[in-house]
Amino acid sequence: MRSTWLNSEQLDLEQLRGKVVMVEFWTFGCWNCRNIEPYVKEWHDKYAKQGLVVIAVHSPEFQYEYEVGKVKAYIQEHRISYAVPIDNEFRNWRQYRNRNWPTLYLIDKRGYIQYTRIGEGSYEKTKKTIQQLLAEPT
């Protein structure tokens, strides 16, 4: 079964080799997720042309967050333009052994997780890590 992706065709990490990938686990009803949203948008806007790909995996916490129409409405209202795969079955969540909303993973150009941030904060450290990973040779 093909996954539902909003704002993008389905992406595969293997296809993204040579890029820096930020995988964010979030859900639209989570206040902590909403608090980091402006930073994720800023990083996407600033670094996408340099090779950063943001994939915001929507993994619902509450029953009302499972409705794809509500996720679509949220990302439209909040002007989220990066890829949003719907992870209602928590397949991606389990693959990353994730446990928290929000969690950010930064994956280097070779496909290895180099940085993990759980929750809010450390925005400057996250930004510097993005810059460092983008500066590495392909």
Side-chain angles (χ1 to χ4, degrees):
M1 179 174 89
R2 187 172 175 351
S3 300
T4 300
W5 283 67
L6 307 176
N7 295 340
S8 173
E9 294 296 317
Q10 184 168 342
L11 300 173
D12 180 294
L13 286 179
E14 196 61 41
Q15 297 171 313
L16 296 173
R17 292 283 163 109
K19 305 260 186 203
V20 174
V21 180
M22 173 183 286
V23 176
E24 174 197 16
F25 285 91
W26 72 293
T27 187
F28 72 83
C30 164
W31 285 107
N32 301 97
C33 300
R34 289 179 180 215
N35 290 339
I36 73 163
E37 184 179 299
Y39 297 95
V40 176
K41 286 179 184 175
E42 178 184 326
W43 296 325
H44 168 71
D45 292 344
K46 187 170 185 177
Y47 299 113
K49 289 182 180 165
Q50 296 175 43
L52 177 68
V53 176
V54 176
I55 302 173
V57 181
H58 187 270
S59 303
E61 184 176 11
F62 300 108
Q63 194 61 40
Y64 71 94
E65 296 168 325
Y66 280 82
E67 294 179 40
V68 175
K70 288 183 180 180
V71 180
K72 284 181 183 179
Y74 181 90
I75 66 173
Q76 183 176 15
E77 179 183 333
H78 289 256
R79 295 186 171 110
I80 293 172
S81 60
Y82 38 82
V84 179
I86 303 298
D87 193 29
N88 284 352
E89 292 83 30
F90 289 81
R91 288 186 188 124
N92 292 297
W93 179 279
R94 285 191 300 274
Q95 282 182 320
Y96 280 80
R97 294 186 174 103
N98 198 58
R99 299 194 185 286
N100 302 286
W101 294 274
T103 300
L104 300 176
Y105 297 91
L106 288 175
I107 301 169
D108 69 15
K109 295 175 183 178
R110 296 169 297 144
Y112 297 103
I113 296 172
Q114 296 296 328
Y115 176 83
T116 303
R117 174 66 196 171
I118 298 169
E120 297 180 58
S122 293
Y123 302 117
E124 192 61 31
K125 182 177 181 184
T126 303
K127 181 172 92 172
K128 286 183 191 278
T129 304
I130 291 167
Q131 292 168 340
Q132 290 169 346
L133 293 174
L134 286 170
E136 290 180 352
T138 303

